[in-house]
Amino acid sequence: MKELTYDAVVIGGGAAGMAAARELDAAGCSCAIVEREERLGGILGQCIHNGFGLIEFNEELTGPEFAERMEERVRGTGVAVYTGATVMEVDAAPEIKSLFCYSASFGVIRLNARAIVLAMGCRERNRGNIRIPGDRPAGVYTAGLAQRLVNIEGFVPGRNVVVIGSGDIGLIMARRMSWIGCKVHAVVEILPYPSGLTRNIVQCLHDFGIPLYLSHLTTRIIGRERVEGVEITPIENGALMHEKSFVIPCDTVLLSVGLVPENELSKDAGVELNPMTNGPVVDSMLMTSVPGVFACGNVLHVHDLVDYVVEEAKRAGANVARWLKGERPQAEARIKAGPNVRYVAPSRADPSRDNKIYLRSLVVKNEASLEIRVNNRVVRTVKKAHIQPSEMLSVDLSRADLATCSGSPDPTVEIALA
Amino acid sequence: MSEELICITCPMGCRLKVDRRDDGTLSVTGNRCARGIKYAEEELLDPKRMVSATAKVSKPGAGLDAVSRVPVRTSVPCRKEAIGDLLADIYALTVDLPVARGQTLIQNWKGSGVDVLATRTLP
């Protein structure tokens, strides 16, 4: 068995992993990326539409372009890259941690490191997760799987499509399927508002005259061998209106019903997870409950822009380098999700530094305000022109904001939206 | 007669109301900023979209990392009504490898000023 030792090993070679590894290298730490696919880039490779990179590269790029630009940055450094290698086991021992990787070209590799960066991304929720009743025919795909089939493999998964869920991948796929000559008959959303970005509703649905059924539940998938249709039932005042159910004939169902951080390895390493994000609980350095194990990107919480993933992962990489050099936060303040906030990440802030906090709203509102409260006292209010659950928000917690934390034994910062 | 539009310039999603004046110009209300007016004018007078798609690779390799499609995009937004024809021409392409990111696969498509570019490097 090949055995190699680095200061840090990054699990996952997508946008987060590449950004974290590059920061580690820049800070003088030896570092490796382990990626199970044959090439770096993660999900970006199949996201052939544009809209990426406005923050990171100051121009609008497609997913493959963004991935290649990131990869070029990594290739120009001392970062070791293992592609086609899957991490099967993590031993997160206190001093030296070990990862056991399986690779078709190298066999089993053991990578030792003082720090591990979790950057495994997320995966799609599927039919089982949302329990759609009915038959079990062929033709039911998650939207991301269909995206891979169409954009990478070059297969057309069906001709007459219904998209369940109005997440962005589903909307993007509604347009993609239309552009390859398929007919998209409907997008069905259980909530009274769409989960995707407004601009995607316009560009991907309105442009093609695709109806969006809000407050509608898919109550049955119909078909013996292949999908023949879906039964849709309106929801009025919280109740299913079975007498108003109707069937949309189709041969293909695409599911765009949310993403879940992929934390199997994290659990293996003994990392504590946050039930609101399904990602690790992390401190102000983005370190998990297991010392020396860090997390960033979609494995930590699902982001809606890759630019934010990179921003967070760069910070994680820099923090890991600081940690490897012996820096530890002195005293931290707990960060709590206040009214109308679904979650905050990270869960702790360092009052001696500036902190970046990401959060998601529970409500849709224009002209909203975000309140920072330290020990129940409002220290600052930030105006937000528009908030909605599908758009991640961020706030900078500065040293000045957190000044009143000192002198308090267990300081608490609460972020609230109104 | 007024038309309703949702501005997609930023995430605010302003609901615009647009009326055509007698001289052919537009009167826009409901916008929270100047970009809403520009969006409404482009959207009603000359709507355009960025187009992304994939083109066939002439001899896809074998093995785990074999790729049969190369992703492409337009260099600038394409007029909405021409997108169907543009896509047909992209799907009719056969791209020989190697291909470099940014390489022009179709130059100045039908004199429109729109180029079709590869968005991925394939050796």
Side-chain angles (χ1 to χ4, degrees), chain B residues 40-107:
Chain B
E41 284 175 349
E42 281 180 6
E43 193 59 21
L44 288 187
L45 303 175
D46 191 16
K48 290 177 178 167
R49 294 286 184 265
M50 287 292 285
V51 176
S52 55
T54 64
K56 193 164 72 189
V57 165
S58 62
K59 292 190 196 81
L64 283 172
D65 52 353
V67 177
S68 55
R69 310 288 298 184
V70 56
V72 304
R73 68 170 169 91
T74 53
S75 54
V76 289
C78 170
R79 296 187 64 192
K80 224 165 121 180
E81 63 207 35
I83 290 175
D85 291 341
L86 173 65
L87 283 169
D89 286 351
I90 291 172
Y91 297 144
L93 278 178
T94 303
V95 179
D96 293 322
L97 301 187
V99 64
R101 183 180 87 233
Q103 186 178 320
T104 305
L105 302 177
I106 301 176
Q107 188 144 30

Side-chain angles (χ1 to χ4, degrees), chain A residues 180-326:
Chain A
I180 59 175
C182 302
K183 172 88 184 151
V184 180
H185 296 271
V187 173
V188 183
E189 170 60 56
I190 184 172
L191 295 173
Y193 51 85
S195 1
L197 303 174
T198 309
R199 66 181 91 191
N200 284 338
I201 301 288
V202 174
Q203 299 181 112
C204 302
L205 301 187
H206 295 183
D207 272 12
F208 301 93
I210 299 168
L212 171 62
Y213 294 96
L214 296 172
S215 299
H216 279 70
L217 183 67
T218 307
T219 39
R220 195 153 59 102
I221 291 177
I222 305 156
R224 283 198 61 79
E225 298 294 322
R226 177 83 196 186
V227 174
E228 288 161 22
V230 288
E231 181 193 75
I232 309 295
T233 304
I235 302 168
E236 291 175 15
N237 304 316
L240 282 170
M241 297 285 111
H242 285 292
E243 65 280 12
K244 293 185 184 169
S245 293
F246 56 97
V247 171
I248 305 176
C250 61
D251 57 34
T252 303
V253 172
L254 301 188
L255 299 169
S256 177
V257 291
L259 301 164
V260 189
E262 181 147 356
N263 275 295
E264 270 53 47
L265 288 172
S266 321
K267 287 182 210 159
D268 197 23
V271 164
E272 184 195 341
L273 299 183
N274 175 347
M276 287 315 292
T277 55
N278 290 305
V281 175
V282 289
D283 69 6
S284 65
M285 294 184 91
L286 302 177
M287 188 169 81
T288 68
S289 59
V290 177
V293 178
F294 295 75
C296 59
N298 283 347
V299 79
L300 178 55
H301 60 117
V302 176
H303 299 57
D304 35 39
L305 286 185
V306 69
D307 295 82
Y308 295 142
V309 165
V310 169
E311 186 181 86
E312 181 181 86
K314 281 180 172 175
R315 210 168 319 112
N319 288 344
V320 176
R322 283 170 47 216
W323 187 88
L324 285 167
K325 287 167 189 156

Side-chain angles (χ1 to χ4, degrees), chain A residues 9-22 31-45 63-64 66-72 74-75 79-87 99 117-122 265 296-299 306 309-310 313:
Chain A
V9 176
V10 180
I11 309 178
M18 287 193 279
R22 183 170 171 261
C31 162
I33 297 176
V34 191
E35 167 57 49
R36 67 183 169 192
E37 293 275 333
E38 295 301 316
R39 52 181 276 146
L40 294 174
I43 202 68
L44 286 164
F66 191 102
E68 267 189 40
R69 300 267 292 254
M70 293 289 295
E71 185 177 345
E72 283 162 5
V74 168
R75 297 285 184 194
V79 175
V81 175
Y82 299 92
T83 51
T86 307
V87 178
L99 300 179
V117 181
L118 306 172
M120 293 91 77
C122 57
L265 288 172
C296 59
N298 283 347
V299 79
V306 69
V309 165
V310 169

Side-chain angles (χ1 to χ4, degrees), chain B residues 15-63:
Chain B
R15 288 174 186 277
L16 309 178
K17 237 177 112 180
V18 190
D19 288 286
R20 278 174 206 269
R21 296 196 191 93
D22 291 338
D23 61 358
T25 58
L26 302 177
S27 138
V28 182
T29 54
N31 56 307
R32 290 186 185 79
C33 76
R35 291 181 298 174
I37 298 170
K38 188 165 172 270
Y39 173 78
E41 284 175 349
E42 281 180 6
E43 193 59 21
L44 288 187
L45 303 175
D46 191 16
K48 290 177 178 167
R49 294 286 184 265
M50 287 292 285
V51 176
S52 55
T54 64
K56 193 164 72 189
V57 165
S58 62
K59 292 190 196 81

